[in-house]
Amino acid sequence: MSRLSRRKFVAVAGGTAAAIAVGSKVIEASAATNAAAAPDAYAQQFLDLYAKIKNSANGYFHSSGVPYHSVETLMVEAPDHGHQTTSEAFSYWMWLEATYGRVTGDWAPFNATWAAAEKYIIPTNTDQPSNGSYNSSSPATYAPEWPLPSNYPSALDSSVKAGADPIAAELQSAYGTADIYGMHWLLDVDNVYGYGNTAGTGAENGPSAPGPCYINTYQRGAQESVWETIPQPCTDLMKYGGTNGYLDLFVKDQSYAKQYKYTNAPDADARAVQAAYWAYRWASAQGNAGAVSASVAKAAKMGDYLRYGMFDKYFKQVGGCTSPSGCAPGSGKNSAHYLLGWYYAWGGAVAGGGWAWRIGDGAAHHGYQNPVAAWALSTVTAMAPKSATGRSDWATSLTRQIEFLRWLQSADGGIAGGATNSWDGQYGQPPAGTPTFYGMAYDWEPVYHDPPSNNWFGMQAWGMERWAEYYYLTKDSRVKAVLDKWVTWVSGKVTVGTNGTFSIPSTLSWSGQPDTWNASSPGANANLRVSVTESGMDVGVTAALIKTLLYYASAANNTAAQTLGKNLLDALAVHTDSKGIGIAETRTDYSRFKDPVYVPSGWTGKMPNGDTINSSSTFLSIRSFYQRDPDWSKVQAYLNGGAAPSFTYHRFWAQADVAMALALYSELFLGGTTTSPSPSKSVSASASASASASVSASASASRSTSPSPSGGGGTGVTATYKIESDWGAGFVASITVKNNGTTPISSWRVAWTWAGNQQIGSSWNAGVTSSGRNVTATNLNYNGTIPPGGSTSFGFQGTYSGTNAAPTLSASGS
């Protein structure tokens, strides 16, 4: 089960805002079956599951079009209610719709996800009104983190100096705004809590307001589990909670001001960038890159701001920090670790307050790294950030992420936790003998400890799926050995039986430490070990593992990995139900509904529904709405001494990942291609006028070169060459083959001779062979037929040195 915490720490206190009306629905998601025949059974299964997800009767979406974390409401894991949603869910939605665009050629649903994100989960200027008062030379006031919730509130300490923020000015120059363009991690979609912090209003509109609404939970140290959190609105106008709203539960100050505060989950924003890259790649292969160009530009912008996750929390120098005052304030980029940290956050006074703050995070977990996003943002011209140093920062990040991966691989194959620049969240002294990575201390459970952050196998599957994708795209030899070892390890821990039975790791146990990182001579990590302590049948994690195996199998030509991935995929399909893929889960952790929630003695307040908040509060007592849930009787019986309850959940991200795994098998191994849905039965996802998917011309990305002249053949077949991106030592190119004749052709061939030393690595949608400088590309079994006036496209990634001149093409067909 997905039991991830999003540990969020704020640094300042302070705000007020005006209310405006929420716009109309952003997405209309309706069910449908694709009337056209899918190219293969797996593509059809993708379309079938996609239709279930988009069927409004199945309950995956709120009426606004925002996806829920799960169909079911009684759920506690990272969100504390099933009808909350996360930036994670938005990013999986974007990825799902990108895959739908590849299969059907319909890119409207993908563009609509970005329109919805801008309306509901990327705060508008009204939601973050005081960024113009941000002082980049003094980004935030230091507040130490503490191990337990009972150590809070944490006192602000202005004697500890923060470093300078080196990217604020260039971001404002590039985009013409001081506002942050990133997703906040958590929304109360149904306004269950009743704060009414409705997106786009910057207000606390109360229990009767429509959702989705901005909320936050985690705030108090590494030991704070979801069961110990106190929910609060992101814009705290002190209307609910205590005298100072919820602010003085977390931060100790002399006085408190009304304020807003948001937290970004970098893995989700990076996944959104990753999804946009695939949309761009697939749309380009269809000769339709323009259909997604506006959304791709938005992803590039999001990636630019995502760099805040690369910096130490208080912009202090990275490496060797052992005390708050002894860790020097950073200047320039020496406060960047160039990894994806666990969060970045920002906030400030409500309108008219005149102050704002921003923080990064000095803790990095291997499961959050995303080499596909880093590679796309640094090498693909259409996705290049507009800021002065965005592209180069992501190039540095890619190299650093690769080193991080290699540093953390255990002797067995699993990837260990991560590293921190701030031991115990207060720049403490790590234990003697702690290994380091560029001066950051190794942490086997970075960020949160209940449960330990690297014991959940999902972190392995999520993280390694991105690395397998990256290897598929680039054939980067630096990661192949890591993937070889990891796949061998995990394959020995997976079983697949009959009638849908299977088992994958669920809980891991770690011992030992990696060797201190030496880039010129990496250690063997002989003492770093991992073991599997529990196994299970988690739907979403299994899907992520399948995708890892399939990308690796295709890139490494490994039939064993392909077979295992397919067998797991087929086993999942046995568990098909009316809403998607469903496997029952026994939730012994639901005994923690009775867990006490720490509230300082003497502190009293009220939730919007009247629930009392005081030193006697429990998880359930400040969430009394759970007792009205249709499934509550199962939990109550357990709390009364009965058996642990069982639930079959349909998490949005998990169902989306299963669907994408089905489409991926079709694409990589069955030659899956585009099939157009019936106009009358297509799954629609249209954006309303108030959430237009368009962006200004200044935010659009252009390609770096113009098409080369076409080459022709005796049948009227021509081919056009275009460089999609070029980063000085490598490039991605596409070739469009067009039938200019009056009769269909059933096969085609394109040939050329390089003028320089170009070499082709991976290719797609064609069989490409090279002999010296001579290259020949022929159709595959699914794209040889081209009607009169029609066209098809293929592409490849190449390397070169010197010049990269476009070749003259020769094309023929029959």
Side-chain angles (χ1 to χ4, degrees), residues 101 143 147 316 335 456 465-466 489 526 552 575 577 625 627 657 730:
K316 285 179 171 288
S335 60
W456 182 55
E465 192 273 345
R466 300 175 199 128
W489 166 69
Y552 171 78
H575 300 277
D577 62 23
F625 57 79
Q627 294 172 293
D657 226 17

Side-chain angles (χ1 to χ4, degrees), residues 407-435:
W407 177 57
L408 290 171
Q409 186 163 40
S410 66
D412 304 283
I415 312 301
T420 180
N421 195 52
S422 180
W423 192 260
D424 284 338
Q426 48 186 266
Y427 300 103
Q429 174 71 58
T434 299

